[in-house]
Amino acid sequence: MLKVQDLITHYSGSQALFGVDLEIEQGQVVTLLGRNGMGKTTTINTIIGIVPATSGSVSFDGVELVGRPSFKNANLGIGLVPEGRQIFPNLSLRENLVATASNHLKVAEPWTLEGVFSLFPELKERLTSMGNLLSGGEQQMLAIGRALMTNPKLLVLDEATEGLAPLVRKKIWQAIAQIRGQGVSILVVDKNLKDLLRIADRNFIIERGKIVWSGSSQQLRDDKDALHRHLGV
Ligand code: ATP
């Protein structure tokens, strides 16, 4: 479904990605792991087109995304839950969900407000609250709900549970499992390795802008050397 090949990205003069290769198959949960500053967010933002690629290829369902504006790439069915959530602060929770809702792919049973509330019941109680008054956990649930309201085929989560309390984290992981159960492919970045490995079909480790390891969760659990060398655990 998604095939990233030899992706190179620069910020002004400084190179951040040095030829990233990564693949996601239909229905898979794939993680992008790596220590701080190794290029996870840059990879995600380059895939979507928020940051322009210098060279390389990102093929999504057979369409080449490099060189296209990010909104057009999103319309192909990529939903982003960005680092820092980026909830619209001066819109209500409901408005945040509907403001960017769409069904460009004309899926037969699109996500609805009720569908999002069945995933995150706590959001329903905060329907009229302004975005900036929501807790971090509510904002993250809202960011996921907002992305789902665009009916993505691929959901991309950058720092899925960053800064959230353990109970909220648990709810987010449960929701991600449910979303996957509905056939949505998922690319996820997070620091909670244990939670990630439990849900992932495949894992990619990035180091200094290049993928240095990939494999299943069991392969990674067994590869103590890779865990230590690339992730410091
Ligand atoms: P973190 O876990 O800390 O978010 P990351 O793995 O997501 O890290 P990136 O944010 O992609 O890493 O950063 C990769 C490299 O690119 C780092 O060296 C970083 O300093 C640099 N970088 C990131 N964003 C910018 C920017 N807007 N301008 C210049 N350099 C940047």
Side-chain angles (χ1 to χ4, degrees), residues 10-12 14-17 33-44 51 83 158-159 189 191 206 209:
H10 290 79
Y11 291 108
S12 311
S14 94
Q15 188 164 353
L17 300 187
L33 308 169
R35 286 188 278 226
N36 287 353
M38 290 299 175
K40 302 181 295 296
T41 297
T42 304
T43 299
I44 284 176
V51 172
E83 189 174 22
D158 192 356
E159 301 290 1
V189 166
K191 296 207 167 58
I206 187 166

XYZ file of all heavy atoms in Angstrom, residues 10-12 14-17 33-44 51 83 158-159 189 191 206 209, ligand 1:
233
model
N 16.065 17.483 3.115
C 16.932 18.514 3.717
C 16.061 19.579 4.369
O 14.962 19.863 3.903
C 17.775 19.207 2.645
C 18.847 18.359 2.052
N 18.597 17.413 1.092
C 20.181 18.322 2.279
C 19.738 16.820 0.746
N 20.704 17.348 1.457
N 16.579 20.163 5.441
C 16.023 21.411 5.974
C 17.047 22.490 5.626
O 18.154 22.472 6.166
C 15.868 21.340 7.490
C 14.784 20.386 7.956
C 15.104 19.174 8.561
C 13.444 20.713 7.813
C 14.117 18.313 9.010
C 12.437 19.854 8.257
C 12.790 18.663 8.855
O 11.802 17.824 9.295
N 16.694 23.410 4.769
C 17.654 24.384 4.234
C 18.886 23.617 3.783
O 18.776 22.708 2.990
C 18.009 25.448 5.266
O 16.850 25.956 5.840
N 20.771 21.595 5.683
C 21.176 20.414 6.460
C 20.312 19.193 6.146
O 19.076 19.274 6.107
C 21.203 20.749 7.954
O 20.006 20.427 8.550
N 20.999 18.079 5.908
C 20.304 16.854 5.488
C 19.749 16.119 6.707
O 20.460 15.902 7.693
C 21.281 15.947 4.724
C 20.582 14.755 4.087
C 21.424 14.075 3.019
O 22.497 14.563 2.655
N 20.943 12.961 2.503
N 18.474 15.739 6.653
C 17.838 15.027 7.776
C 17.553 13.569 7.430
O 17.635 12.697 8.289
C 16.549 15.734 8.173
N 17.164 13.289 6.196
C 16.945 11.894 5.774
C 17.990 11.533 4.726
O 18.256 12.291 3.800
C 15.536 11.696 5.203
C 14.353 11.989 6.133
C 13.037 11.573 5.459
C 14.494 11.312 7.490
N 10.556 3.412 14.739
C 11.215 3.568 16.038
C 12.544 4.286 15.860
O 13.155 4.229 14.788
C 11.479 2.184 16.649
C 10.296 1.228 16.743
C 10.779 -0.165 17.118
C 9.302 1.730 17.758
N 12.997 4.904 16.937
C 14.299 5.559 16.884
C 14.428 6.561 18.007
O 13.432 7.047 18.531
N 15.670 6.847 18.358
C 15.898 7.805 19.436
C 15.545 9.218 18.967
O 15.302 9.440 17.781
C 17.357 7.723 19.876
C 17.618 6.459 20.685
C 18.996 6.471 21.273
N 19.949 6.034 20.284
C 20.922 5.146 20.516
N 21.058 4.603 21.698
N 21.756 4.807 19.573
N 15.543 10.159 19.917
C 15.194 11.555 19.600
C 16.067 12.106 18.483
O 17.273 11.864 18.461
C 15.377 12.445 20.829
C 14.297 12.209 21.860
O 13.343 11.476 21.598
N 14.452 12.802 23.017
N 15.428 12.811 17.574
C 16.171 13.520 16.535
C 16.705 12.652 15.415
O 17.517 13.100 14.612
N 16.249 11.414 15.327
C 16.791 10.498 14.309
C 16.084 10.629 12.958
O 16.561 10.113 11.951
C 16.700 9.050 14.796
C 17.668 8.762 15.924
S 19.365 9.025 15.367
C 20.282 8.767 16.873
N 14.893 11.274 12.967
C 14.223 11.513 11.688
C 12.827 10.916 11.554
O 12.312 10.815 10.441
N 12.187 10.568 12.666
C 10.852 9.947 12.593
C 9.810 10.945 12.064
O 9.086 10.664 11.122
C 10.446 9.408 13.973
C 11.430 8.380 14.532
C 11.001 7.841 15.875
C 10.983 8.862 16.980
N 12.306 9.439 17.329
N 9.783 12.118 12.716
C 8.803 13.127 12.288
C 9.101 13.598 10.863
O 8.188 13.784 10.058
C 8.805 14.319 13.270
O 8.395 13.829 14.551
C 7.866 15.425 12.835
N 10.362 13.741 10.559
C 10.726 14.175 9.198
C 10.265 13.142 8.176
O 9.758 13.502 7.100
C 12.254 14.388 9.100
O 12.650 15.319 10.106
C 12.653 14.914 7.739
N 10.424 11.862 8.495
C 9.966 10.809 7.570
C 8.462 10.925 7.345
O 7.987 10.931 6.195
C 10.310 9.412 8.132
O 11.726 9.322 8.267
C 9.811 8.308 7.214
N 7.709 11.032 8.437
C 6.252 11.137 8.328
C 5.860 12.374 7.521
O 5.049 12.304 6.588
C 5.630 11.181 9.749
C 5.647 9.776 10.347
C 4.225 11.767 9.732
C 5.165 9.700 11.774
N 6.710 18.375 4.467
C 8.108 18.756 4.227
C 8.476 18.198 2.848
O 8.212 17.018 2.584
C 9.031 18.151 5.318
C 10.495 18.370 4.988
C 8.701 18.735 6.683
N 2.281 15.263 15.673
C 2.978 15.470 16.939
C 2.432 16.758 17.558
O 2.239 17.756 16.860
C 4.482 15.615 16.658
C 5.323 15.624 17.884
C 6.826 15.622 17.553
O 7.207 16.024 16.446
O 7.595 15.201 18.428
N 1.927 10.366 14.917
C 3.268 10.789 15.337
C 3.222 11.053 16.837
O 2.584 12.015 17.274
C 3.675 12.049 14.570
C 5.159 12.368 14.751
O 5.832 11.661 15.521
O 5.623 13.324 14.113
N 3.879 10.220 17.625
C 3.835 10.281 19.091
C 2.406 10.054 19.575
O 1.732 10.971 20.042
C 4.378 11.616 19.617
C 5.802 11.919 19.215
C 6.856 11.038 19.893
O 6.482 10.138 20.688
O 8.043 11.234 19.609
N 4.374 6.195 15.489
C 5.601 6.540 16.210
C 5.227 6.717 17.671
O 4.216 7.361 17.970
C 6.193 7.870 15.668
C 7.252 8.411 16.606
C 6.766 7.673 14.282
N 7.043 6.310 22.029
C 8.218 5.938 22.825
C 7.965 4.683 23.655
O 8.901 4.126 24.214
C 8.606 7.098 23.734
C 9.028 8.314 22.927
C 9.990 9.222 23.624
C 10.594 10.206 22.653
N 9.592 11.054 21.952
N 14.896 3.769 12.723
C 15.628 4.790 11.980
C 16.743 5.347 12.850
O 16.564 5.558 14.057
C 14.658 5.907 11.489
C 15.367 6.892 10.571
C 13.982 6.638 12.639
C 14.403 7.794 9.795
N 18.636 9.352 10.109
C 18.003 9.534 8.804
C 18.049 8.349 7.871
O 17.830 8.491 6.662
P 11.878 13.395 18.165
O 11.606 12.043 18.703
O 12.751 14.218 19.053
O 10.669 14.142 17.664
P 12.535 12.605 15.431
O 13.119 11.244 15.325
O 11.119 12.788 15.088
O 12.836 13.168 16.878
P 13.060 14.731 13.581
O 12.202 15.710 14.329
O 12.557 14.209 12.314
O 13.440 13.525 14.537
O 14.488 15.417 13.345
C 15.488 14.847 12.512
C 16.632 15.835 12.338
O 16.177 16.968 11.598
C 17.172 16.378 13.652
O 18.554 16.544 13.530
C 16.489 17.712 13.788
O 17.290 18.627 14.521
C 16.356 18.164 12.341
N 15.165 18.992 12.147
C 13.880 18.635 12.429
N 13.028 19.611 12.094
C 13.786 20.633 11.594
C 13.491 21.945 11.063
N 12.239 22.387 10.979
N 14.542 22.680 10.645
C 15.815 22.236 10.718
N 16.170 20.999 11.185
C 15.169 20.225 11.619
